[in-house]
Amino acid sequence: MSNNPSNPLDKLFGAIQNVNDASERVDQYVRKSLPLSEMDSFREKCKTLDRETLPWYLEYFEELEMYEHCAVVKETMEMA
């Protein structure tokens, strides 16, 4: 199958690939920007998040295998 930029399906799949690429860059940034040494700051920030979004954060950090961060989010959810 050729890649024809005027074909709506090719545009759609190109957009999906761009989103996937951007998502991976965000994941890499998150991993790098939330070191364990900043866990106290992370804990305080979690306390300010809307409790309805906490399950989303929990799932996201599980996907990234950032289990220490998951524990903090779970702790925050229990306190909310």
Side-chain angles (χ1 to χ4, degrees):
M1 185 165 132
S2 65
N3 188 3
N4 179 351
S6 64
N7 181 329
L9 282 178
D10 286 343
K11 286 181 181 180
L12 174 65
F13 283 99
I16 291 169
Q17 184 59 48
N18 289 339
V19 168
N20 286 338
D21 294 345
S23 178
E24 182 56 35
R25 288 192 301 274
V26 169
D27 293 350
Q28 290 172 4
Y29 176 79
V30 168
R31 285 185 188 102
K32 184 172 61 172
S33 299
L34 292 174
L36 294 178
S37 60
E38 296 293 324
M39 197 56 74
D40 289 337
S41 297
F42 179 76
R43 182 174 281 109
E44 290 305 311
K45 180 62 181 173
C46 281
K47 292 176 184 176
T48 69
L49 298 174
D50 181 8
R51 70 180 187 181
E52 293 173 3
T53 64
L54 290 172
W56 181 88
Y57 284 102
L58 179 60
E59 183 178 325
Y60 181 69
F61 289 121
E62 285 174 346
E63 287 177 16
L64 295 181
E65 298 180 357
M66 296 175 72
Y67 300 115
E68 294 85 354
H69 294 79
C70 290
V72 171
V73 174
K74 285 180 185 176
E75 172 186 302
T76 305
M77 290 170 68
E78 291 169 0
M79 293 183 342

